[in-house]
Amino acid sequence: NDREQICIIGSGNWGSAIATILGRSAARLPFCNDEVRMWVFEEEVSLPSEESNDVPAKKANLSDVINSRHENIKYLPGVKLPTNVKAIPDLKEACLNATLLVFVLPHQFLPKLMPIIRASVHPSRCRGVSLIKGLGFDKRTKLPVLISQSISIGIGDGFHCGVLMGANVANEVAMGRMCESTLACDYGNDEVNERTRQIFDERLNFRVARIGDVAGAEACGALKNVIALGAGFIDGLKLGGNTKAALLRVGLLEMAKFCKIFFEGVESGTFMESCGMADLITTCYGGRNRKCAEVFAKLRLQDGSSDTFDPEECNRLWSKIEN
């Protein structure tokens, strides 16, 4: 059987949103197995009830709820998942003979999962795509490290991991609103590269372009969050659209400079793709980091006690805003 077996590692908001795309693609494409497996970190959730508030909510395992209701009621409520997406709480079972791993979970959980993944996937045909937005850092050199590279090293045996980055707000993707994304990968085979692009692509809803610059695309996905903090501060201080436009222009240049200093093979054209400019724009206007930074700036204006802020007090206030 040379069909693709897709496994999504993670089932949060973005993981469940991309599952809507991958489920429909697997059912449509002749080179894919119909079933898409989604590894779920098992937890107990409260079932929604139409009865009075005095009646205690019933509890159930999240994986059972997803498989019976075809909805992730905790992380993506109100959105139906394709019926061929199967939630599996056992990582070994989810990854068994997988040929395409889609990583979409907090990167700090990856190291302990790697041995199970490595022992379960297809021994010769498996590859990966990371949707994780962030960077790691080498403990010795303090230099930035690509998460996709850490995944490749963790699985070993020549495993190749690309990335999918872009202006992709999860809820909008799940609702089928048109957006673009960038698949950065090079699996050493043009047919495999194109197969992978087709698996993520939906012509009307989710348009995917492929590039080879994995480092540039992945670093953009992390760095745009730094610029988004500045955008939030600008909004909180009510400095206006001109100031934010200047931030976006200079921020994009700084992102490009950072990428070319710390990573090899970064291409200038990457920053004009959805993973670059488009993701920066949407994050600086609607992203979570921007929203938190705006609230932070407004609270600081209300406080007005000093021009400086104790680091511990700063961390306490930021944690309060995030939660």
Side-chain angles (χ1 to χ4, degrees):
N1 183 6
D2 63 352
R3 291 189 175 188
E4 300 283 0
Q5 179 58 64
I6 303 168
C7 174
I8 304 169
I9 301 178
S11 58
N13 182 243
W14 186 208
S16 298
I18 202 65
T20 65
I21 303 287
L22 297 177
R24 290 192 292 265
S25 292
R28 182 183 74 251
L29 296 171
F31 54 79
C32 290
N33 285 336
D34 183 72
E35 181 180 87
V36 173
R37 302 171 190 157
M38 181 168 70
W39 176 66
V40 175
F41 181 79
E42 193 69 282
E43 56 185 304
E44 200 173 55
V45 295
S46 299
L47 298 177
S49 174
E50 297 178 357
E51 300 177 22
S52 67
N53 293 332
D54 297 331
V55 178
K58 294 180 179 179
K59 302 284 188 177
N61 288 333
L62 180 58
S63 62
D64 293 334
V65 175
I66 293 173
N67 289 332
S68 61
R69 297 186 177 218
H70 306 294
E71 177 187 355
N72 189 331
I73 62 173
K74 182 171 183 178
Y75 297 107
L76 193 63
V79 175
K80 287 296 181 183
L81 302 179
T83 57
N84 61 326
V85 174
K86 182 180 180 181
I88 302 175
D90 183 276
L91 181 61
K92 181 179 179 180
E93 180 185 348
C95 293
L96 186 63
N97 286 324
T99 61
L100 178 61
L101 299 176
V102 180
F103 295 90
V104 55
L105 75 168
H107 67 87
Q108 60 265 31
F109 297 128
L110 283 171
K112 66 180 182 180
L113 303 180
M114 286 303 175
I116 300 173
I117 295 171
R118 182 171 57 245
S120 306
V121 298
H122 193 284
S124 61
R125 292 177 49 216
C126 192
R127 63 200 185 281
V129 176
S130 171
L131 279 63
I132 302 168
K133 294 189 175 182
L135 289 171
F137 289 89
D138 187 282
K139 292 181 179 180
R140 183 178 61 83
T141 66
K142 309 301 182 184
L143 294 175
V145 177
L146 299 173
I147 292 173
S148 63
Q149 185 179 19
S150 298
I151 291 172
S152 295
I153 294 171
I155 295 180
D157 295 327
F159 184 86
H160 293 286
C161 187
V163 298
L164 185 81
M165 301 284 159
N168 308 142
V169 176
N171 285 11
E172 295 180 16
V173 171
M175 289 186 288
R177 295 178 181 175
M178 186 271 165
C179 65
E180 296 179 315
S181 196
T182 307
L183 173 66
C185 67
D186 185 0
Y187 300 114
N189 183 299
D190 289 341
E191 181 182 354
V192 175
N193 289 337
E194 177 57 16
R195 268 192 175 198
T196 310
R197 190 199 68 80
Q198 289 181 32
I199 287 171
F200 285 96
D201 182 76
E202 276 194 325
R203 183 173 298 178
L204 297 179
N205 303 335
F206 198 72
R207 299 184 181 181
V208 178
R210 191 191 77 83
I211 62 175
D213 181 9
V214 176
E218 184 171 356
C220 279
L223 296 173
K224 52 96 181 186
N225 286 314
V226 179
I227 312 302
L229 294 175
F233 296 145
I234 287 171
D235 291 338
L237 296 171
K238 298 182 179 179
L239 296 178
N242 292 340
T243 306
K244 184 183 275 191
L247 172 80
L248 293 176
R249 186 190 71 82
V250 175
L252 187 63
L253 292 174
E254 289 293 323
M255 286 166 57
K257 184 177 180 180
F258 181 99
C259 289
K260 291 182 178 180
I261 288 174
F262 290 106
F263 302 108
E264 295 181 358
V266 174
E267 301 175 2
S268 297
T270 299
F271 303 95
M272 294 296 105
E273 298 288 344
S274 180
C275 62
M277 181 174 68
D279 197 8
L280 178 63
I281 291 171
T282 197
T283 306
C284 286
Y285 278 89
R288 183 170 179 269
N289 281 350
R290 186 216 64 80
K291 293 175 183 176
C292 290
E294 179 182 10
V295 173
F296 184 92
K298 288 179 176 178
L299 291 174
R300 287 292 290 123
L301 282 177
Q302 292 173 9
D303 176 59
S305 57
S306 67
D307 293 332
T308 60
F309 214 6
D310 178 73
E312 290 186 5
E313 178 65 14
C314 176
N315 288 331
R316 184 197 64 78
L317 179 58
W318 188 265
S319 296
K320 182 180 178 181
I321 292 169
E322 282 193 315
N323 297 325

